[in-house]
Amino acid sequence: MKRKSMLWLFAMILVLSAFLAACGGGGSDDASDSDSGDSKDGEKATEEQSGEPQQGGTLTYGLDATPEGLYNWAFYGIATDAEIIEFFDEGLIEYDENLQPIPNLAEWETEDNQHFTFKFKEGVKWHNGEELTVNDWVFALETIAHPDYDGPRYANVETIEGAPAFRAGEADSISGLKVVDDYTIEVTFDEPRLNNLTNIWSYPMSQKEFEGIEVADMSGSEQVRTKPVGLGPFKVENVVPGESLELVKNEDYWNGEVNLDKIIIRVIDNTATVGALQNGDIDMISLQPVSAPDVEKLDNVEVVTAPGLSYYYVGFKLGKFDNDKKEIVEELPKYQDLNLRKAMAHAINREEWIDAFFFGYGKPVNKPVPTAHWIAADDSEVNVYEYDPEKAKQLLDEAGFVDTNDDGFREDPNGDEFVVKFSHYATGNPTFESRSQAIAQYWEEVGLKSEVEMVEVNLYYDMVEKDDPSIETFFGGWGTGTDPDPSALWKADQLWNYPRYNNPDADALLEQALSVEEVGDDQEKRAQVYAEWQKTVTEDVPMIFIAELDEIMGVGENVGGFSMDVSGYNNPAEWYLEK
């Protein structure tokens, strides 16, 4: 069976995008009456935006995915929940447009990158009226280090001196935390590292709010699910699980005036985005690339973009991981041949694929760090696998993958049938299966028979994480945080190293990049070590790096004060509605 032409697939995508736009459209070109400041007769406001912040009004913010409902930084697991938490809570540290840490709720100093002194701002109030103190931060750190903690943040605490002993039940407190007074705390790490500051968990929890609640019960409590409190510009007034949240202005916000009276967060179907923006049902939403071209056509909405810090990839399962031993305990043979992996990389026309599925809001990525990050190597410093099907065929021939029975597909070097099994997560998005089929067809173009398996998204990453035997090659995405250290995703002793990549030289480079002794405060030297690591990874091809995407926001013309860069969007306290 020969590979079908890609033309049918791209035609399908055009049909799907038209379908999505049609489902999301409707109504006239004029915005309807709403709480977002449009005129009651439905006509667009004709006044030019003054640019001066205006007070009052209710902004409606859309979500095209249902939140899980864990509204606390220590417990959330999906990006949708984090998108909500950002409105009502914040941490000790912020990051500038260069992804460098800057003080927010606290300042710090250190002379050796092991011993830090943090000084909290005084007079900052939680939404429950209690004053923020360093004890709230100690409470958060000890919650995360507690043996009954069921969230995913322990890696951000374990390098504090004494945290492992506390977690093991061998100590009643974390020895590396020394409270000097209500606003001053000394933190000692187990060793000096360049990322101790950017890695440490920097979000306090209200000790008063969680009083009497056992750590094992916190994630299911109303303090996390329906009545969360924070330190941010808005307070949670009401939660309708899976549907909406009502946030009201925090009159006691520590960081200046809050312009809006309310923010309503509404969950909408992802096929309804365009229509909801056009009709003024929502004022803002983070856009999927499939919707953005149609939103661009709307007169009453601006599409705002910024470089993203995430990338998509195709991973190879090269081994199995024992999470108790924290080591790769078995090597899986099917994709061990380096030429096979290189050939599969050369076979994918990433430019064509990105144009078809991301509508101009992405570009190929050639390394395990998005281009916008300061540690990203230049493409000239890494191995780049451009689309070259003839090169792919040559590499497969050299590796012994040849068609021995004239059926149009290659057998493995032993003459046995070889089928690439490719897994992709399934959601309500109809383009996901099409984009995975597209990748499989690129491989069939060079003679590798391929099968796609769509797996329900809530099961998918659990299967990938547990090295389910049905997962052989798989589609995934990673976001690179403001902390540039990628060890948690790549070192051989890390659970989130999903391909089970095992190269001691690569691990040594990651350790070198954090070494105060070897790198010191020379940021350029540190970036060069990370560039060498990226070169090593791209030589080994444990995954095929596919695409990096822009962050895209649809913002109504009545919304002022909004801005966005690589570090995210600005403080929602600065947003306002034109009246």
Side-chain angles (χ1 to χ4, degrees):
M1 173 176 165
K2 297 292 185 181
R3 173 187 180 271
K4 296 178 182 178
S5 167
M6 291 295 292
L7 292 176
W8 73 270
L9 183 64
F10 298 147
M12 179 183 294
I13 293 305
L14 291 174
V15 170
L16 285 169
S17 61
F19 167 76
L20 292 173
C23 290
S28 68
D29 291 339
D30 294 329
S32 62
D33 181 30
S34 72
D35 288 332
S36 60
D38 296 318
S39 55
K40 290 186 177 181
D41 62 4
E43 294 179 0
K44 299 174 190 174
T46 58
E47 296 178 0
E48 292 292 324
Q49 290 192 4
S50 66
E52 292 297 323
Q54 299 182 31
Q55 301 297 305
T58 298
L59 182 145
T60 304
Y61 187 94
L63 295 173
D64 66 358
T66 302
E68 187 178 3
L70 294 171
Y71 302 128
N72 184 283
W73 289 120
F75 294 99
Y76 87 93
I78 64 173
T80 307
D81 285 3
E83 196 171 350
I84 293 169
I85 300 170
E86 286 179 339
F87 286 106
F88 70 83
D89 201 12
E90 51 194 75
L92 309 182
I93 302 171
E94 288 287 345
Y95 291 85
D96 64 19
E97 66 276 8
N98 298 312
L99 302 179
Q100 298 301 308
I102 54 177
N104 189 49
L105 290 168
E107 297 179 338
W108 58 86
E109 58 182 26
T110 182
E111 294 181 356
D112 59 4
N113 281 291
Q114 183 175 11
H115 303 85
F116 286 75
T117 299
F118 288 84
K119 185 73 176 177
F120 279 36
K121 289 184 180 296
E122 299 184 23
V124 177
K125 297 289 186 67
W126 290 96
H127 295 159
N128 59 12
E130 295 289 318
E131 185 177 6
L132 169 69
T133 73
V134 297
N135 298 299
D136 294 312
W137 192 29
V138 172
F139 176 69
L141 296 171
E142 291 189 343
T143 294
I144 292 172
H146 195 282
D148 293 336
Y149 170 68
D150 59 359
R153 311 287 180 244
Y154 178 62
N156 299 107
V157 176
E158 65 179 339
T159 56
I160 302 172
E161 183 180 86
F166 180 81
R167 187 174 179 83
E170 300 168 358
D172 295 330
S173 61
I174 298 176
S175 60
L177 303 176
K178 181 182 177 182
V179 174
V180 178
D181 57 44
D182 281 350
Y183 308 106
T184 310
I185 183 172
E186 296 174 356
V187 180
T188 301
F189 293 89
D190 55 3
E191 63 180 76
R193 295 183 193 83
L194 292 176
N195 74 328
N196 276 334
L197 175 65
T198 53
N199 181 68
I200 193 172
W201 189 250
S202 63
Y203 296 96
M205 293 171 61
S206 171
Q207 189 172 11
K208 178 69 174 179
E209 194 68 20
F210 285 91
E211 191 172 39
I213 302 175
E214 298 295 329
V215 172
D217 300 326
M218 285 183 180
S219 64
S221 69
E222 66 177 14
Q223 285 80 355
V224 169
R225 298 280 182 168
T226 57
K227 296 181 179 179
V229 303
L231 300 159
F234 294 93
K235 301 190 292 186
V236 177
E237 181 82 359
N238 187 45
V239 175
V240 180
E243 295 183 16
S244 65
L245 293 91
E246 181 182 355
L247 311 180
V248 298
K249 176 179 181 176
N250 177 12
E251 299 285 357
D252 296 320
Y253 183 48
W254 67 275
N255 196 19
E257 182 66 41
V258 180
N259 295 321
L260 295 165
D261 288 335
K262 285 185 180 182
I263 293 180
I264 303 296
I265 300 174
R266 286 182 48 205
V267 179
I268 65 172
D269 190 279
N270 58 21
T271 63
T273 298
V274 180
L277 284 167
Q278 181 177 12
N279 297 334
D281 297 330
I282 58 175
D283 299 301
M284 297 176 63
I285 191 170
S286 177
L287 293 173
Q288 301 291 337
V290 68
S291 302
D294 290 305
V295 176
E296 292 261 20
K297 300 173 185 175
L298 301 179
D299 293 334
N300 63 326
V301 181
E302 180 184 4
V303 174
V304 182
T305 64
L309 288 177
S310 60
Y311 61 88
Y312 286 128
Y313 65 85
V314 171
F316 298 98
K317 273 293 179 184
L318 302 176
K320 291 187 175 181
F321 187 75
D322 187 316
N323 197 34
D324 293 326
K325 297 180 179 178
K326 301 297 181 186
E327 63 182 40
I328 297 168
V329 294
E330 182 181 343
E331 188 177 89
L332 299 175
K334 186 168 181 177
Y335 295 95
Q336 291 297 328
D337 191 293
L338 178 58
N339 276 351
L340 169 63
R341 301 198 300 273
K342 287 182 176 180
M344 292 174 67
H346 279 299
I348 299 174
N349 189 335
R350 295 176 300 160
E351 289 274 9
E352 184 179 64
W353 186 86
I354 293 167
D355 287 345
F357 293 97
F358 294 101
F359 306 92
Y361 295 97
K363 61 183 179 181
V365 64
N366 296 306
K367 48 197 174 283
V369 179
T371 305
H373 207 292
W374 66 266
I375 70 164
D378 188 83
D379 283 351
S380 65
E381 299 177 278
V382 300
N383 287 53
V384 176
Y385 298 92
E386 300 286 5
Y387 174 57
D388 189 342
E390 295 308 312
K391 177 70 172 178
K393 293 174 185 178
Q394 176 188 338
L395 289 167
L396 291 170
D397 289 343
E398 292 173 1
F401 290 83
V402 294
D403 182 6
T404 59
N405 59 8
D406 295 325
D407 67 346
F409 294 115
R410 298 169 182 267
E411 279 65 51
D412 70 15
N414 296 320
D416 296 326
E417 181 184 43
F418 185 84
V419 179
V420 176
K421 185 176 180 183
F422 182 45
S423 299
H424 193 296
Y425 45 85
T427 69
N429 190 323
T431 68
F432 284 7
E433 183 168 5
S434 299
R435 75 187 189 190
S436 57
Q437 291 285 358
I439 290 174
Q441 288 189 37
Y442 284 128
W443 291 329
E444 293 204 341
E445 175 87 351
V446 298
L448 294 174
K449 187 175 183 180
S450 303
E451 297 177 354
V452 170
E453 180 182 36
M454 303 299 294
V455 181
E456 202 277 321
V457 67
N458 290 327
L459 300 175
Y460 182 77
Y461 276 108
D462 187 58
M463 294 170 66
V464 172
E465 190 167 289
K466 293 179 178 177
D467 301 326
D468 188 289
S470 66
I471 304 291
E472 296 181 0
T473 68
F474 56 98
F475 189 86
W478 280 126
T480 303
T482 47
D483 176 9
D485 176 38
S487 297
L489 306 181
W490 283 98
K491 289 187 72 174
D493 61 354
Q494 295 296 314
L495 176 63
W496 287 352
N497 170 8
Y498 288 157
R500 308 313 175 202
Y501 177 53
N502 191 1
N503 184 332
D505 292 337
D507 286 359
L509 287 167
L510 291 177
E511 292 169 6
Q512 181 184 346
L514 296 179
S515 170
V516 174
E517 182 178 344
E518 295 195 48
V519 178
D521 59 1
D522 189 336
Q523 185 162 295
E524 289 187 11
K525 185 175 181 181
R526 188 181 183 199
Q528 192 51 50
V529 175
Y530 280 127
E532 189 176 345
W533 170 77
Q534 291 164 70
K535 184 177 189 298
T536 301
V537 172
T538 57
E539 287 173 346
D540 292 340
V541 202
M543 58 174 63
I544 304 169
F545 305 108
I546 302 292
E548 56 183 0
L549 304 183
D550 294 333
E551 296 295 329
I552 319 168
M553 290 291 296
V555 182
E557 65 178 353
N558 59 319
V559 178
F562 174 83
S563 64
M564 184 168 67
D565 59 32
V566 68
S567 66
Y569 50 68
N570 63 326
N571 192 326
E574 300 173 13
W575 303 354
Y576 60 92
L577 293 171
E578 292 283 350
K579 297 181 180 179

